[in-house]
């Protein structure tokens, strides 16, 4: 099976799952907040993640953890764009930008970004047009509500059906804006307006949210669902996160967004050896 995501600097083949390393350039992200605010520290971390086997590096200038406050445009641009420009010539890893703001999308595309990872699925005014003008791929993520309030007792009659319908509609909106389907990945948005039970249902039945045969990206790494299942605090969620990533890969995920790249790459190698006889 071939499964390709067309990114700005070339195609990403992801039928065999690949890893996206998380790098938050924020003071308040739930897992690595405050560690990479200095651009030099961020660059070194990005190169380390690539060396550990990340096919993509996801740079974010705004936390989306439950309860997070929005970041002003100037501040997000300042945090992200200089790092993209400096990182571009130093690595062949694809550069993803975690943003919902059209101005950041445009500036990131001009600085050499490959993919826009938007937890609002291009619903902000002007976001569809900004993406359409670029050559970037996009990840469309499902979120119920907004980060400040999304975990206040979310309810679904049918979580799989509702996530799937949302993703179908956002792909349709992309098509109407002139964004080729080959540039689209989809994400059920673990923890974004979902209870533990919703997250487990999505993980169990992941393949059922695949719309139009597009690659599925999942972010489970160190999230509170791993904490709820293991009783561990954020830095101690590595083992649980690797297990979740592996299960997601077995159930259809193509891109795994993780903080612990080396551990996840090792686990995927074991999975690949078992599933395709490759060593
Ligand atoms: N999760 C987070 C951020 N961005 N993007 C996608 N596509 N899918 C996800 O599940 C996802 C995401 C939250 O994690 P993190 O970036 O580690 O924390 P914070 O939002 O606090 O910066």
């Amino acid at each position: 099976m071939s499964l390709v995501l067309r990114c700005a600097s070339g195609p990403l083949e992801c039928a065999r799952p690949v890893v996206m390393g998380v790098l938050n350039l924020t003071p308040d992200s739930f897992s690595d907040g405050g560690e990479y605010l200095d651009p030099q520290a961020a660059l070194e971390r990005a190169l380390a993640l690539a060396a550990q086997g990340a096919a993509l590096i996801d740079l974010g200038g705004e936390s989306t953890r439950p309860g997070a406050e929005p970041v002003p445009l100037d501040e997000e641009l300042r945090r992200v764009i200089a790092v993209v420009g400096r990182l571009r010539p130093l690595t062949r890893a694809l550069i993803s930008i975690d943003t919902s703001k059209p101005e950041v999308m445009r500036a990131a595309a001009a600085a050499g970004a490959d993919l826009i990872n938007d937890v609002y699925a291009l619903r902000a005014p002007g976001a569809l047009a900004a993406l359409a003008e670029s050559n970037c791929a996009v990840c469309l993520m499902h979120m119920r509500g907004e980060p400040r309030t999304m975990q206040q007792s979310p309810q679904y009659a049918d979580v799989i059906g509702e996530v799937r319908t949302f993703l179908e509609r956002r792909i349709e909106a992309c098509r109407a804006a002139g964004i080729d389907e080959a540039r689209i990945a989809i994400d059920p948005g673990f923890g974004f307006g979902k209870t533990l039970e919703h997250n487990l249902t999505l993980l169990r039945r992941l393949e059922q949210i695949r719309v139009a045969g597009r690659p599925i990206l999942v972010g489970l790494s160190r999230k509170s669902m791993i904490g709820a299942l293991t009783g561990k605090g954020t830095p101690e969620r590595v083992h649980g996160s690797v297990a979740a990533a592996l299960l997601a890969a077995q159930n259809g995920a193509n891109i795994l967004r993780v903080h612990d790249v080396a551990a996840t790459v090792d686990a995927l190698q074991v999975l690949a050896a078992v599933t395709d006889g490759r060593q």
Side-chain angles (χ1 to χ4, degrees):
M1 179 180 73
S2 160
L3 202 49
V4 177
L5 181 63
R6 199 202 300 155
C7 299
S9 63
L12 174 71
E13 169 58 67
C14 53
R16 178 171 292 131
V18 297
V19 170
M20 169 187 264
V22 179
L23 179 46
N24 287 310
L25 313 170
T26 56
D28 57 342
S29 287
F30 78 93
S31 174
D32 57 353
E35 285 183 46
Y36 307 110
L37 275 176
D38 167 38
Q40 188 57 35
L43 275 181
E44 284 167 19
R45 176 69 177 164
L47 294 176
L49 294 175
Q52 289 169 21
L56 310 100
I57 312 292
D58 189 40
L59 304 173
E62 177 172 46
S63 174
T64 48
R65 79 188 145 73
E69 289 298 329
V71 173
L73 172 62
D74 287 4
E75 179 61 18
E76 194 178 331
L77 284 169
R78 197 184 58 72
R79 287 178 189 172
V80 173
I81 300 305
V83 177
V84 179
R86 286 176 64 187
L87 181 59
R88 183 64 291 170
L90 300 179
T91 182
R92 293 177 60 194
L94 298 173
I95 300 178
S96 161
I97 304 300
D98 193 336
T99 190
S100 301
K101 296 189 178 75
E103 298 86 348
V104 178
M105 294 175 190
R106 282 201 179 84
D114 286 289
L115 182 148
I116 301 297
N117 173 25
D118 184 2
V119 300
Y120 282 91
L122 303 180
R123 283 178 292 159
L128 281 165
L131 204 285
E133 283 164 26
S134 78
N135 285 322
C136 289
V138 62
C139 177
L140 303 172
M141 196 196 79
H142 175 270
M143 169 167 51
R144 168 68 67 81
E146 43 136 8
R148 224 159 28 82
T149 52
M150 65 191 177
Q151 288 307 95
Q152 292 167 7
S153 43
Q155 285 175 16
Y156 299 81
D158 164 18
V159 68
I160 300 288
E162 287 176 48
V163 167
R164 201 187 147 83
T165 301
F166 171 89
L167 294 172
E168 275 166 356
R169 291 193 178 140
R170 295 317 296 157
I171 290 180
E172 197 41 57
C174 283
R175 281 197 202 107
I179 300 164
D180 194 305
E181 219 172 84
R183 293 163 63 192
I184 301 175
I186 54 176
D187 182 343
F190 286 100
F192 286 84
K194 282 136 195 137
T195 62
L196 175 60
E197 207 40 62
H198 297 138
N199 289 325
L200 290 173
T201 301
L202 286 164
L203 186 51
R204 237 175 249 133
R205 296 167 56 193
L206 192 61
E207 194 57 59
Q208 294 174 24
I209 65 115
R210 193 184 306 276
V211 178
R214 299 313 305 150
I216 298 176
L217 186 154
V218 303
L220 291 151
S221 182
R222 300 194 191 179
K223 284 191 174 165
S224 62
M225 73 177 270
I226 307 295
L229 296 171
T230 60
K232 300 278 169 68
T234 315
E236 286 86 44
R237 294 179 189 165
V238 182
H239 304 88
S241 299
V242 172
L246 204 62
L247 287 164
Q250 262 191 317
N251 288 357
N254 306 104
I255 305 173
L256 299 154
R257 182 183 183 278
V258 306
H259 299 85
D260 304 290
V261 170
T264 310
V265 167
D266 281 358
L268 290 177
Q269 274 165 352
V270 175
L271 178 65
V274 173
T275 54
D276 23 286
R278 193 177 61 98
Q279 279 132 54

